[in-house]
Amino acid sequence: MDEVVSSELLPPAEGVARPAYKGDLVVRVTNKETGAHDDADVSGTTLVDV
């Protein structure tokens, strides 16, 4: 089972919390004209600045 884990990092000096995510992620890219598709593994970690 794929699972994404998130947590809140301590706010930096400007006081804005930054969520962090990690986990498995697969994105399907589809050619609308032909219907051909490919699955891309984009798993990893990320920080989100809002």
Side-chain angles (χ1 to χ4, degrees):
M1 174 184 234
D2 294 337
E3 185 176 317
V4 174
V5 178
S6 67
S7 63
E8 288 286 326
L9 300 180
L10 293 174
E14 58 270 5
V16 178
R18 295 167 57 187
Y21 299 92
K22 71 177 182 177
D24 297 334
L25 180 61
V26 176
V27 176
R28 174 162 285 181
V29 181
T30 304
N31 181 320
K32 289 184 178 182
E33 292 183 15
T34 66
H37 66 271
D38 190 36
D39 293 333
D41 180 359
V42 293
S43 301
T45 60
T46 188
L47 292 175
V48 180
D49 287 321
V50 227

